[in-house]
């Protein structure tokens, strides 16, 4: 990758490690991950790489909390740079017990039939549903990244932001929900206090590195 001019900044070594799947996968708990971290971290350093390590991309927030507790109990949290989790088996709820940055690295509506709706009846694939989910992930779970699975796909479900069909494509309102954050909230932005929200109005605010303040309001 370096030879091709691509800088790999972060690397994770497990994906949904608590799930037994039919496809190639690896089961790991927090203690086992800690053991591997003690090998991976010095190996990267010895290779002259400053690549940061992420862990552990558990399938759900509760599972990631257990993984993190196991790593902490084994004294290996200092070898991790970013804590990562998915939102499938249990959605984001509160904060994880860490001072490290936390990323939500994979989540989508896997079951719902494809919808382009912004709002109809609060179904899992609607744009407004994901706008509120993203907002709460920042303000209630203190994540600093939110990634949807996946970008574009030939599918009849809501697993992607863009639906491909031969030479045609459809763009979901979920994509525009995410775009309203990424368009104005830039990398290295700092989330700052925002008040005035309630059950129907959700508010967040971010200060970008250039000093500009972006306020996100969902009504």
């Amino acid at each position: 990758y370096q030879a091709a001019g691509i800088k790999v900044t972060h690397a994770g070594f497990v994906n949904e490690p608590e799930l037994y799947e039919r496809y190639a996968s690896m089961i790991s708990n927090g203690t086992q991950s800690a053991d591997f971290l003690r090998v991976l971290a010095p190996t990267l350093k010895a290779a002259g790489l400053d690549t940061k390590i992420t862990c552990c991309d558990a399938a759900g927030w509760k599972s990631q909390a257990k993984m993190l507790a196991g790593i902490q109990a084994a004294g290996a949290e200092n070898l991790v740079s970013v804590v990562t989790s998915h939102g499938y088996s249990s959605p984001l709820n509160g904060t994880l017990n860490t001072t490290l940055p936390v990323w939500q690295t994979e989540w989508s509506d896997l079951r719902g039939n494809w919808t382009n709706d912004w709002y109809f009846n609060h179904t899992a694939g609607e744009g407004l549903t994901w706008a509120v989910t993203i907002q709460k992930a920042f303000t209630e779970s203190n994540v600093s990244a939110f990634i949807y699975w996946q970008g574009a796909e030939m599918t009849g479900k809501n697993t992607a932001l863009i639906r491909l069909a031969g030479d045609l494509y459809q763009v979901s309102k979920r994509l525009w929900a995410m775009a309203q954050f990424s368009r104005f909230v830039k990398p290295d932005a700092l989330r700052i206090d925002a008040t005035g929200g309630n059950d129907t109005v959700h508010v967040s605010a971010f200060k970008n590195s250039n000093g500009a303040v972006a306020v996100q309001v969902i009504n």
Side-chain angles (χ1 to χ4, degrees):
Y1 279 98
Q2 283 186 339
I6 299 171
K7 171 68 174 178
V8 177
T9 59
H10 296 75
F13 58 95
V14 286
N15 178 66
E16 299 182 348
E18 78 276 32
L19 298 186
Y20 291 82
E21 297 290 357
R22 290 174 295 176
Y23 52 78
S25 56
M26 181 176 72
I27 302 300
S28 178
N29 58 32
T31 303
Q32 293 165 333
S33 293
D35 288 342
F36 191 79
L37 282 164
R38 293 190 182 95
V39 176
L40 178 61
T43 299
L44 289 173
K45 186 176 181 179
L49 300 173
D50 59 357
T51 309
K52 296 180 180 179
I53 299 174
T54 67
C55 193
C56 301
D57 288 292
W61 199 246
K62 291 181 180 179
S63 296
Q64 182 55 43
K66 293 179 181 178
M67 292 283 295
L68 177 60
I71 291 172
Q72 291 168 335
E77 186 181 18
N78 65 310
L79 301 176
V80 178
S81 295
V82 180
V83 177
T84 53
S85 179
H86 301 170
Y88 296 114
S89 60
S90 58
L92 278 61
N93 183 19
T95 58
L96 295 178
N97 182 29
T98 183
T99 59
L100 294 173
V102 177
W103 294 353
Q104 189 292 113
T105 51
E106 182 185 325
W107 199 2
S108 71
D109 173 23
L110 297 176
R111 297 179 178 84
N113 291 328
W114 176 265
T115 178
N116 285 327
D117 289 331
W118 173 254
Y119 169 76
F120 180 66
N121 60 358
H122 284 301
T123 59
E126 294 174 12
L128 180 59
T129 300
W130 282 96
V132 173
T133 298
I134 296 167
Q135 185 93 294
K136 287 185 175 181
F138 288 133
T139 60
E140 297 180 9
S141 297
N142 204 31
V143 305
S144 54
F146 192 104
I147 301 172
Y148 196 88
W149 171 267
Q150 56 189 330
E153 181 184 14
M154 295 181 65
T155 180
K157 302 294 183 181
N158 291 320
T159 51
L161 298 173
I162 300 173
R163 180 186 185 184
L164 304 176
D167 293 332
L168 304 176
Y169 66 91
Q170 291 178 295
V171 179
S172 71
K173 299 301 190 295
R174 297 181 298 281
L175 183 144
W176 301 119
M178 299 196 73
Q180 286 302 106
F181 287 93
S182 60
R183 181 181 179 186
F184 300 105
V185 183
K186 299 303 181 182
D188 298 322
L190 176 68
R191 188 167 65 83
I192 58 179
D193 192 29
T195 59
N198 53 43
D199 290 340
T200 56
V201 178
H202 305 273
V203 182
S204 65
F206 303 82
K207 186 175 182 178
N208 288 316
S209 58
N210 65 355
V213 174
V215 180
Q216 302 285 354
V217 181
I218 302 170
N219 183 358

